[in-house]
Amino acid sequence: MYILTQSALLENCKNNIYLVEDTELEGQYKSDGYRRYERVYKVKYAHKEYAVTCPEYRNDAKEPKTIVIIPAFLLPGRPYPVEIYLHAIDLYSRAPERGQRWAAEETRKRFGLETFAHTTLGRALRAFVRKMEESGMLREGCGDGKEASGEGKPPSFPTKQSTRALRERAASLLQGLPPWADRREAAEFCHRLAIARFKEYLRFLL
């Protein structure tokens, strides 16, 4: 089980090591008989690789047996912070005249990444919309969901028309994002969004 906690900015950590601390939660789980361990995730951002060290609590006599406290930017098992995926989705959704390759390349350059594939963007967009539908946030006025998620359709090369419904749904969810010209402000907004609005549903790539 993952629990989200407030995030600081990656670039502010020392020696590329990001330590997650939440004394209130730690006290709570220790009083419930959990033992503390650590779990480390690797994240790429701004030409660097960071080690994100998260507290992990285990208790075989409790449910859930394992609890991991993660920062709002982290998608466990994925190489980039959540704001990178949301930037790519937002960029592609707002520019229907452009393609996924363009949005992926612009994202790669803006965040200082060696690679960021258009196929990564396509998967993230589909998964993001699907999770939002499952959470109930896209039910009203969004059809039966199959058109958006691509369910029931054979895989094909993405076109502007085939991804239109996905882009429109994503854009409706990402309203309010500040201009990406200020990367720090936009990143902080994404982190707040993860905790305050989408909660566990923003773990769309898990």
Side-chain angles (χ1 to χ4, degrees):
M1 176 179 176
Y2 295 106
I3 302 292
L4 274 68
T5 190
Q6 295 288 343
S7 297
L9 296 176
L10 271 172
E11 53 262 45
N12 292 343
C13 70
K14 295 182 179 180
N15 301 320
N16 295 354
I17 299 174
Y18 186 103
L19 299 176
V20 178
E21 297 289 346
D22 193 312
T23 55
E24 182 177 349
L25 286 175
E26 178 163 356
Q28 174 186 328
Y29 292 125
K30 284 187 174 181
S31 68
D32 286 342
Y34 284 82
R35 297 186 64 181
R36 176 181 167 131
Y37 300 86
E38 287 186 348
R39 189 179 294 192
V40 179
Y41 300 93
K42 300 292 186 179
V43 172
K44 298 175 182 178
Y45 185 82
H47 304 288
K48 296 179 182 179
E49 183 175 80
Y50 294 86
V52 182
T53 302
C54 303
E56 176 182 344
Y57 301 97
R58 300 180 195 168
N59 187 335
D60 291 339
K62 296 275 189 176
E63 288 294 340
K65 294 182 178 180
T66 302
I67 299 169
V68 185
I69 310 299
I70 62 174
F73 66 76
L74 184 67
L75 292 165
R78 301 297 173 179
Y80 311 116
V82 69
E83 60 263 30
I84 290 179
Y85 297 99
L86 290 183
H87 172 270
I89 291 171
D90 184 53
L91 193 62
Y92 180 54
S93 299
R94 291 180 186 227
E97 73 283 359
R98 302 288 193 125
Q100 288 186 13
R101 291 182 185 274
W102 168 81
E105 178 63 13
E106 290 297 307
T107 300
R108 185 193 67 77
K109 291 187 292 187
R110 175 171 292 279
F111 289 95
L113 308 175
E114 290 186 8
T115 60
F116 188 84
H118 68 284
T119 53
T120 299
L121 166 56
R123 287 193 299 270
L125 175 62
R126 290 192 298 273
F128 177 60
V129 172
R130 183 178 67 249
K131 285 292 185 181
M132 295 305 103
E133 289 174 340
E134 290 173 358
S135 75
M137 296 181 67
L138 277 177
R139 285 176 185 165
E140 186 175 353
C142 289
D144 59 11
K146 293 185 178 181
E147 179 187 3
S149 64
E151 182 183 346
K153 295 183 179 181
S156 61
F157 189 81
T159 64
K160 293 178 183 177
Q161 184 61 29
S162 67
T163 61
R164 180 179 60 83
L166 285 167
R167 287 186 278 105
E168 289 176 353
R169 286 157 169 75
S172 70
L173 285 162
L174 294 175
Q175 289 179 0
L177 274 171
W180 286 97
D182 188 333
R183 189 170 66 186
R184 176 169 299 196
E185 180 184 354
E188 290 175 342
F189 182 92
C190 288
H191 301 170
R192 293 194 301 271
L193 198 65
I195 292 176
R197 184 176 180 190
F198 294 152
K199 299 182 180 178
E200 71 271 22
Y201 299 117
L202 197 53
R203 311 295 95 187
F204 57 89
L205 292 175
L206 299 183

